[in-house]
Amino acid sequence: MLPAGQIGQAPATPCCSESDDERKNVEEKSDVYIAALVGNEQVSEGTDIGDLPSYVSAFIEKEVGNDLKSFKKLDKLIEQMTEGKTQLEEQVLTISSEIPKRIQSALKNAEESEQFLNQFLEQETHLFSSINSHLLTAQPWIEDLGAMINQIEEIERHLAYLKWISQIEELSDNIQQYLMTNNVPEAASTLVCMAELDIKLQESSCTHLLGFMRATVKFWHKILKDKLTSDFEEILAQLHWPFISPPQSQTVGLSRPASSPEIHSNLETLFCQLLKLQTSDELFTEPKQLSEKYSLPASSSIILPIQIMLTPLQKRFRYHFRGNRQTNVISKPEWYLAQVLLWIGNHTEFLDEKIQPILDKVGSSINARLEFSRGLMMLVLEKLAADIPCLLYDDNLFCHLVDEVLLFERELHSVHGYPGTFANCLHILSEETCFQRWLTVERKFALQKMDSTLSSEAAWISQYKDITDVDEMKVPDCAETFMTLLLVITDRYKNLPTASRKLQFLELQKDLVDDFRIRLTQVMKEETRASLGFRYCAILNAVNYISTVLADWADNVFFLQLQQAALEVFAENNTLSKLELGQLASMESSVFDNMINLLERLKHDMLTRQVDHVFREVKDAAKLYGKERWLSLPSQSEQAVMSLSSSACPLLLTLRDRLLQLEQQLCISLFKIFWQMLAEKLDIYIYQEIILANHFNEGGASQLQFDMTRNLFPLFSHYCKRPENYFKHVKEACIVLNLNIGSALLLKDVLQSASGQPPATAALNEVGIYKLAQHDVEILLNLRTNWPNTGK
């Protein structure tokens, strides 16, 4: 085989001579061979022509290889390649013959298109000139037609204008005819149609037409309103309206029983007719509105018949509570507030039984009693808005006004069902200047109340000290009074119309709590030397009570709603971290958390001080007990009866007296925390300072166990079922010291041989040791002196 680089080249020195014909034949065959390779896609499109010999060499290597017998295949391969070359040549000839035809066809199409384009251009030029000529000819016609169209449109507008005037005059004539025939209901219905047309015309720019329409509506509305109002007032007079006396003494329609049904029928008729005038009345009568600074909720006008029914009461109110009348006293707001409540109460029965059915009959959703109350409430709001600036800086008068307004609001809502969404007195009190003054006065009087409460002689005495069932919290009077004060403040502001105002009051409450906590801390510091005294315990009870109540309030629906409102405000102002916002949103924290945390810290500090005080006393009393001769005490078998160690008596007496004293002075929850903290310290003290500091013979260990289990632990059995669980170090130390010799030796061997291993833990648990570590047990075993002499 030839190397790949030499394929297709003539050898430098031929092995034998060849004729020119044979050489040409071989070269042709080589050309065919190469072309076939290319035609059979052995060489890719992206392959350089310089790489062709290597592809040919690879092909021959694959087809012939090193086997000389494979040369027989060359003829067959050459034949195949020749056929491939022929096919390729035919394809080339076919393509080369078709391309000129396609080019010729494309040129022909282009020439035809050019001819069509030239024809279109000629047509366009001709058409353009024709259109220009036609426009010039038609221009006078267009101008004449435009003028005529404008005239037609103007005539149509005039016609429509005249139709509107005609329609208005027709409706006006109809009303006149109905009134001439005394057909007031139809006249009222026609006026309604006219008023609706007036409303439809408001978007028109025809000012004169609008003026004519409005003047016509106003003319007939006044006539009908005056007539119906006169008739309606006459019927009301027959019914003795308004009812000045209470309902029990009313004699509505009883003076003439025979005419009573007729009166009520006329009442219904006139009421319905006046109701029809409501649409036109709203076109001319704007409802009285107070200044925007009061942020009153939007409301519709009071219906016309109720307005007429309110008129005599409005006159009475203005007569008595405005001007220089003796009843108009700025220091007596309760006079006009009580009068309004009295009027609402006096007329409720009549409105519910006589007027409401009429409204229901005509399909109205209006509540007659609430509509009547709303009308009277506007009188109160106007009066408050006028009076408040006059007494804003007189604390006593302003505070009295606020108190009376809140009482009025409470009765109005609870007794008369006045909705909180309607305009009410709290909107007036929520005006910025008035509200800030309210907050200032509220804070001032609350601080004064706190001062007087804390300085009273009964400040630290419980109101219920003689009633055991009620006095579980042992709350001193000052704390009870303070929390009542906070509760009253909550009741005063809980119905304010906006959440922002409520949150401001909440901040006031939190400030008062913090101020009271500071005052309690100051008094506590004065009593620090007598941390077990009555006043100190009373302060601790007060702190605990306030913290407990605030925690309960945190779950109250009202404060949860305030928490949500505060969350929205904080989120808008970015005043809290994302963590704090998340805690508020998930209800993990509350609006009182900061106050509760401060109170709990104060409570813990005070309890710790009490525990330390008692612990010092007990530790002093236990000094003799710690020096007891535990090594030389007689064993239990040597004593007829086990008795308490005499040196333990001061310790136990001191402990008993202090527990009894604090049980009487602290509330149950605080005393529980106290004795548990004390027990924990005692447990550590006895274990470390008495047990670990001594060695014990059998009698000493028995005596220690007797003192602890039969005397110390029972002192705490009044407060829990298993007091030994609070003295685990002492209890387990006694177990180790009192193990019999065999068990103690076995335990000692196990601990020494299995240090830190599970068998050691199992062995300790088996004898009742769970708290003490293995090392501690080994120390306790070494404190025993009653070991047998085993040579170890």
Side-chain angles (χ1 to χ4, degrees):
M1 295 295 293
L2 292 172
Q6 296 179 6
I7 292 177
Q9 298 180 7
T13 306
C15 296
C16 59
S17 60
E18 295 178 349
S19 63
D20 292 340
D21 293 340
E22 289 175 344
R23 187 178 291 111
K24 289 179 180 178
N25 189 25
V26 171
E27 289 176 354
E28 288 176 358
K29 288 181 179 180
S30 298
D31 292 341
V32 170
Y33 177 60
I34 293 169
L37 282 175
V38 176
N40 286 330
E41 298 179 353
Q42 294 298 319
V43 181
S44 63
E45 294 178 2
T47 305
D48 295 337
I49 195 64
D51 295 336
L52 186 59
S54 61
Y55 282 102
V56 173
S57 175
F59 179 77
I60 294 174
E61 185 73 24
K62 178 181 177 184
E63 295 294 335
V64 178
N66 297 324
D67 189 4
L68 295 176
K69 295 179 181 181
S70 299
F71 280 102
K72 295 178 180 180
K73 298 179 181 179
L74 286 176
D75 291 338
K76 187 178 180 180
L77 286 172
I78 291 170
E79 185 180 347
Q80 290 176 354
M81 300 306 159
T82 304
E83 291 178 0
K85 179 182 178 184
T86 305
Q87 290 177 359
L88 288 172
E89 289 174 347
E90 289 176 355
Q91 291 177 3
V92 170
L93 289 173
T94 302
I95 292 171
S96 62
S97 63
E98 288 180 355
I99 288 176
K101 292 179 182 179
R102 291 181 180 177
I103 293 174
Q104 187 176 3
S105 175
L107 287 172
K108 185 177 179 182
N109 290 336
E111 290 174 356
E112 291 177 354
S113 298
E114 184 180 7
Q115 291 176 1
F116 280 123
L117 181 60
N118 290 331
Q119 291 176 5
F120 285 141
L121 289 173
E122 290 176 2
Q123 292 176 5
E124 185 267 341
T125 304
H126 176 70
L127 188 61
F128 182 74
S129 62
S130 299
I131 290 172
N132 285 335
S133 174
H134 180 72
L135 287 175
L136 290 172
T137 306
Q139 186 63 34
W141 298 350
I142 293 173
E143 293 176 356
D144 293 342
L145 284 174
M148 292 178 66
I149 290 171
N150 290 336
Q151 290 177 2
I152 291 171
E153 289 177 348
E154 186 176 357
I155 291 171
E156 286 179 344
R157 287 196 296 271
H158 291 168
L159 223 88
Y161 196 91
L162 291 173
K163 284 181 179 179
W164 276 103
I165 293 176
S166 175
Q167 190 173 2
I168 296 168
E169 289 181 341
E170 182 180 354
L171 291 172
S172 179
D173 291 341
N174 290 340
I175 293 173
Q176 184 177 9
Q177 291 176 6
Y178 290 137
L179 289 177
M180 290 175 65
T181 57
N182 206 25
N183 191 350
V184 178
E186 288 298 327
S189 300
T190 307
L191 182 60
V192 172
C193 295
M194 188 181 289
E196 290 173 352
L197 287 178
D198 185 302
I199 295 171
K200 288 180 181 179
L201 276 175
Q202 292 309 305
E203 297 179 359
S204 172
S205 58
C206 302
T207 55
H208 295 293
L209 180 62
L210 288 174
F212 174 67
M213 169 66 87
R214 182 59 57 89
T216 306
V217 174
K218 186 176 183 179
F219 174 78
W220 290 118
H221 173 78
K222 185 178 185 308
I223 291 174
L224 281 171
K225 183 179 178 180
D226 291 346
K227 176 175 177 55
L228 291 174
T229 299
S230 175
D231 295 343
F232 191 61
E233 288 175 345
E234 185 178 344
I235 293 295
L236 290 176
Q238 294 177 19
L239 293 170
H240 307 289
W241 182 275
F243 311 138
I244 305 304
S245 57
Q248 293 79 4
S249 59
Q250 290 176 15
T251 55
V252 181
L254 297 181
S255 56
R256 288 183 290 177
S259 61
S260 182
E262 181 183 352
I263 293 175
H264 290 303
S265 174
N266 292 335
L267 174 71
E268 179 179 348
T269 302
L270 291 170
F271 193 95
C272 292
Q273 291 171 3
L274 284 168
L275 208 54
K276 290 181 180 180
L277 301 185
Q278 184 67 29
T279 305
S280 56
D281 191 68
E282 290 176 355
L283 295 175
F284 310 108
T285 308
E286 293 186 4
K288 290 184 179 179
Q289 295 289 344
L290 294 177
S291 173
E292 292 182 359
K293 66 180 181 179
Y294 297 114
S295 301
L296 296 179
S299 60
S300 59
S301 301
I302 296 171
I303 57 174
L304 187 56
I306 297 293
Q307 288 183 33
I308 297 170
M309 297 172 74
L310 284 168
T311 301
L313 295 175
Q314 291 169 342
K315 290 180 179 178
R316 286 174 177 270
F317 187 91
R318 293 189 177 99
Y319 176 83
H320 287 291
F321 304 114
R322 288 189 183 179
N324 298 323
R325 302 293 174 186
Q326 292 181 351
T327 48
N328 184 27
V329 182
I330 199 170
S331 61
K332 297 292 183 180
E334 61 269 26
W335 287 358
Y336 62 83
L337 295 174
Q339 185 63 68
V340 168
L341 288 175
L342 181 64
W343 284 343
I344 293 174
N346 289 350
H347 297 88
T348 295
E349 183 179 350
F350 178 81
L351 292 167
D352 287 342
E353 294 181 1
K354 303 299 181 184
I355 304 301
Q356 190 60 49
I358 302 173
L359 290 169
D360 295 339
K361 189 174 180 180
V362 299
S364 174
S365 60
I366 294 172
N367 184 299
R369 178 165 43 84
L370 294 182
E371 195 78 353
F372 181 79
S373 301
R374 193 159 66 93
L376 291 177
M377 178 58 72
M378 286 307 299
L379 295 173
V380 176
L381 299 185
E382 291 171 4
K383 177 65 175 172
L384 280 176
D387 284 358
I388 285 178
C390 301
L391 46 78
L392 199 58
Y393 298 101
D394 187 319
D395 290 349
N396 292 323
L397 289 181
F398 182 77
C399 189
H400 177 64
L401 172 70
V402 172
D403 291 340
E404 291 298 330
V405 166
L406 293 175
L407 289 173
F408 169 78
E409 283 286 328
R410 183 178 303 170
E411 184 173 349
L412 187 67
H413 293 294
S414 61
V415 177
H416 301 292
Y418 190 79
T421 54
F422 284 9
N424 56 58
C425 300
L426 294 179
H427 286 94
I428 305 297
L429 295 182
S430 296
E431 186 270 326
E432 183 63 27
T433 305
C434 179
F435 185 78
Q436 293 304 324
R437 187 61 185 161
W438 184 9
L439 280 177
T440 303
V441 171
E442 203 77 40
R443 184 189 301 273
K444 174 185 174 181
F445 282 101
L447 293 175
Q448 288 179 0
K449 183 66 174 177
M450 286 164 54
D451 289 337
S452 63
T453 301
L454 287 171
S455 60
S456 69
E457 295 181 358
W460 308 108
I461 300 174
S462 173
Q463 298 178 10
Y464 315 104
K465 62 179 180 178
D466 299 326
I467 309 174
T468 307
D469 295 339
V470 180
D471 198 33
E472 289 185 358
M473 297 288 287
K474 293 184 171 61
V475 187
D477 182 63
C478 62
E480 183 85 29
T481 304
F482 176 69
M483 294 312 292
T484 303
L485 174 66
L486 290 185
L487 187 62
V488 169
I489 292 176
T490 303
D491 288 337
R492 288 161 72 85
Y493 79 82
K494 69 187 302 182
N495 292 319
L496 284 173
T498 60
S500 60
R501 296 305 193 199
K502 294 177 186 177
L503 287 173
Q504 287 179 270
F505 257 105
L506 178 63
E507 288 302 314
L508 169 63
Q509 287 180 303
K510 291 162 70 174
D511 290 345
L512 292 175
V513 171
D514 197 45
D515 190 273
F516 195 72
R517 178 189 62 83
I518 293 172
R519 293 172 189 233
L520 289 178
T521 304
Q522 292 170 347
V523 179
M524 179 269 294
K525 288 180 179 178
E526 297 173 2
E527 301 293 326
T528 302
R529 292 184 180 180
S531 58
L532 304 183
F534 170 76
R535 179 174 288 192
Y536 191 93
C537 292
I539 296 169
L540 184 52
N541 287 329
V543 172
N544 179 67
Y545 174 70
I546 295 171
S547 176
T548 303
V549 173
L550 290 180
D552 290 340
W553 284 3
D555 296 327
N556 183 279
V557 174
F558 173 70
F559 289 107
L560 289 175
Q561 291 171 343
L562 280 188
Q563 179 173 336
Q564 183 61 32
L567 179 65
E568 295 172 0
V569 172
F570 293 148
E572 290 177 2
N573 300 334
N574 293 322
T575 53
L576 290 181
S577 66
K578 290 184 178 179
L579 176 61
E580 291 171 321
L581 286 174
Q583 289 175 340
L584 277 175
S586 61
M587 301 299 175
E588 292 179 10
S589 61
S590 70
V591 290
F592 296 113
D593 267 10
N594 292 337
M595 297 297 101
I596 293 173
N597 292 337
L598 291 172
L599 291 167
E600 286 296 316
R601 188 185 306 168
L602 176 60
K603 180 176 77 173
H604 182 266
D605 291 345
M606 294 181 71
L607 273 173
T608 302
R609 189 174 284 109
Q610 285 188 324
V611 171
D612 291 343
H613 183 95
V614 174
F615 179 68
R616 283 195 300 271
E617 291 185 353
V618 172
K619 191 165 63 170
D620 291 341
K623 287 180 179 178
L624 291 176
Y625 188 65
K627 297 177 181 178
E628 187 70 55
R629 300 177 62 189
W630 303 104
L631 279 171
S632 58
L633 292 178
S635 65
Q636 187 174 357
S637 59
E638 297 174 1
Q639 301 181 57
V641 179
M642 292 287 290
S643 61
L644 174 66
S645 301
S646 58
S647 58
C649 290
L651 159 67
L652 297 176
L653 285 172
T654 302
L655 187 59
R656 183 202 64 182
D657 292 343
R658 291 311 186 192
L659 287 173
L660 288 174
Q661 176 187 354
L662 290 170
E663 183 182 14
Q664 293 173 356
Q665 293 180 351
L666 294 178
C667 69
I668 296 174
S669 60
L670 286 176
F671 180 68
K672 182 179 179 181
I673 298 172
F674 167 80
W675 72 255
Q676 289 179 356
M677 292 172 64
L678 181 61
E680 182 181 355
K681 293 178 74 70
L682 277 176
D683 180 41
I684 300 298
Y685 171 75
I686 294 173
Y687 174 69
Q688 293 181 348
E689 303 297 330
I690 296 178
I691 296 176
L692 294 182
N694 291 282
H695 286 75
F696 296 84
N697 66 355
E698 183 182 352
S702 299
Q703 185 63 50
L704 176 68
Q705 186 173 37
F706 180 83
D707 292 343
M708 297 296 104
T709 59
R710 301 292 296 276
N711 293 280
L712 176 63
F713 296 170
L715 282 179
F716 293 88
S717 62
H718 298 290
Y719 319 124
C720 64
K721 293 182 179 180
R722 299 181 63 84
E724 63 273 14
N725 289 338
Y726 294 92
F727 294 88
K728 290 183 179 179
H729 290 87
V730 174
K731 181 184 75 170
E732 294 183 3
C734 290
I735 291 174
V736 174
L737 293 174
N738 285 278
L739 284 174
N740 59 53
I741 297 297
S743 299
L745 285 171
L746 181 60
L747 179 61
K748 194 171 186 180
D749 289 340
V750 171
L751 294 179
Q752 290 176 352
S753 61
S755 178
Q757 300 299 319
T761 304
L764 292 174
N765 292 345
E766 187 176 347
V767 296
I769 308 299
Y770 299 94
K771 178 72 173 179
L772 295 178
Q774 178 181 334
H775 176 67
D776 296 331
V777 176
E778 291 176 352
I779 294 174
L780 288 169
L781 288 172
N782 291 329
L783 296 179
R784 293 173 58 125
T785 60
N786 57 335
W787 294 109
N789 188 10
T790 60
K792 292 187 178 180

